[in-house]
Amino acid sequence: MSSDGRARRWLGRAGAALALLLAGAGIGAALTHLLAPPRDVLAAPSFATVESRTGTVERSITLNATVARRADAPLALAGGGTVTALRLPTGAPATSGDVVATVGLRPVTLAQGDVPMFRELSPGTQGVDVEQLQRMLVAEGHLGANAVDGRYRAATTTAVKRWQAALSVPTDGVVRLQDVVFAPHLPGDVAAAEGVHVGARLGDGAALLTPLLPPDASIELPEGQAQLVVPGQAVTLESGGQTWAAVVQRVTVLASASDTRRVAELTAPGGGPVCGSDCGSVPVPAGLLVPARIQIVPPTQGVLVPASAITTDAGGRTAVVTDAGATIPVEVGASAGGEIVVAGLESGMVVRAPALLPPESGG
């Protein structure tokens, strides 16, 4: 055999030996992996760590609120006549002494009283209606308060004549049926009754004015959010560039045969309608549908940790566990978005989440 043949044969044997060696190494590594003891899963950390921080938590939801006003019992015009002018106040409630219309060119004055105008008032008349008239004359500065007695005597006659002179009508001291409309609640907003306009012919006792009750504001709560809303929560309403502050006064459950609804009723923080001095802008009877932001969790600042970092013992005491396993008692406060405000922990401390207690502490 030539020297070249012997060299080729030697190289072939060497390559085969090398391949066997490498294959054996691979098999050995595989066996080492398969035969190695399993990794102790329990020894691996079962919690993450997080650094406490100073921040603010809050939560709100936005729903639609309805602001609407209802009409009270209409105010009738005794005697009837043709409406020649309407002078309803705008931008402010009507008060006793306001001239709200003219009928047959004669002014119609609004006054406070539960008894409607049902007869002419003149010297010698007496009764509750006379007393109501006297109180209006006192408010207008035409009669002394000590003369309010329900009797139409000389002082009242003089006061009526002064009032008639101020209205530019004949000063005869007789108050006619169409001269006054008594309203039970003043000051208050009023509107022209349905069908009342300049030129309208009103029969005896026909409605002239409609008193408007203060607007009500309410929010119908969706089923998924009804449990979040409770009395006392702050609400902010936005209407036509105006911001109205409100609070949840009560949550009412309205049950019917087909369903159950929960409605949050709103008032201004100090009571009264939420629209305050802007209530005149609320249309009747349509009302307004406005966005309302309900403050579920008011802004609360403090040291924050994840809610999962809080642990509670059998006695109800709350704590956090540091990354080293130490337990630090804390007081919990407001929470939102998975974070909670705690007292008793410094900002920047690293705690476990979830708050697993170390074995030696019984966790």
Side-chain angles (χ1 to χ4, degrees):
M1 180 181 293
S2 66
S3 59
D4 289 342
R6 287 193 295 270
R8 285 194 296 274
R9 182 179 296 174
W10 183 87
L11 289 173
R13 290 174 179 173
L18 180 59
L20 289 173
L21 180 61
L22 291 175
I27 293 171
L31 289 173
T32 300
H33 176 74
L34 290 173
L35 298 177
R39 184 170 61 91
D40 186 359
V41 177
L42 296 178
S46 54
F47 56 83
T49 57
V50 64
E51 186 175 303
S52 62
R53 65 183 184 89
T54 299
T56 302
V57 297
E58 66 174 311
R59 183 184 180 187
S60 62
I61 58 175
T62 299
L63 300 170
N64 285 328
T66 300
V67 182
R69 60 194 323 174
R70 295 174 290 108
D72 204 349
L75 304 177
L77 178 70
T82 300
V83 178
T84 50
L86 286 172
R87 301 179 184 177
L88 301 178
T90 58
T95 61
S96 181
D98 285 349
V99 173
V100 293
T102 63
V103 173
L105 299 179
R106 192 175 178 95
V108 179
T109 300
L110 195 63
Q112 185 169 0
D114 294 322
V115 176
M117 190 74 170
F118 66 95
R119 59 179 176 174
E120 283 192 349
L121 302 179
S122 58
T125 311
Q126 58 182 335
V128 175
D129 50 348
V130 174
E131 181 180 339
Q132 293 174 169
L133 174 70
Q134 290 172 330
R135 293 190 185 282
M136 184 271 290
L137 295 171
V138 170
E140 292 296 291
H142 302 303
L143 182 67
N146 59 349
V148 177
D149 58 4
R151 297 180 179 183
Y152 204 125
R153 295 186 286 192
T156 300
T157 302
T158 300
V160 167
K161 290 181 177 180
R162 291 172 180 165
W163 169 58
Q164 290 174 328
L167 296 176
S168 299
V169 298
T171 56
D172 56 10
V174 177
V175 181
R176 290 162 177 77
L177 284 170
Q178 300 94 333
D179 287 349
V180 177
V181 172
F182 288 116
H185 307 292
L186 291 177
D189 293 323
V190 295
E194 184 176 359
V196 173
H197 55 84
V198 174
R201 174 69 183 177
L202 304 182
D204 185 5
L208 174 67
L209 302 175
T210 300
L212 302 176
L213 298 175
D216 295 322
S218 62
I219 302 173
E220 185 164 339
L221 304 174
E223 184 177 352
Q225 296 170 315
Q227 303 303 325
L228 299 175
V229 180
V230 297
Q233 288 173 333
V235 183
T236 302
L237 297 88
E238 301 287 341
S239 174
Q242 299 292 325
T243 299
W244 298 335
V247 295
V248 178
Q249 183 182 37
R250 67 174 66 89
V251 177
T252 303
V253 179
L254 304 177
S256 66
S258 58
D259 66 353
T260 299
R261 298 181 298 121
R262 286 178 169 80
V263 176
E265 300 176 20
L266 311 179
T267 66
V274 300
C275 45
S277 60
D278 301 320
C279 288
S281 65
V282 178
V284 181
L288 296 172
L289 190 65
V290 299
R293 183 170 60 88
I294 307 173
Q295 195 75 57
I296 304 299
V297 178
T300 306
Q301 188 175 33
V303 176
L304 308 181
V305 296
S308 61
I310 303 297
T311 183
T312 306
D313 63 16
R317 292 176 289 271
T318 52
V320 296
V321 181
T322 68
D323 57 339
T327 302
I328 301 178
V330 295
E331 293 182 7
V332 300
S335 65
E339 291 188 302
I340 190 166
V341 177
V342 297
L345 184 70
E346 294 182 1
S347 180
M349 294 193 68
V350 178
V351 297
R352 297 180 180 184
L356 296 178
L357 296 172
E360 60 271 21
S361 299

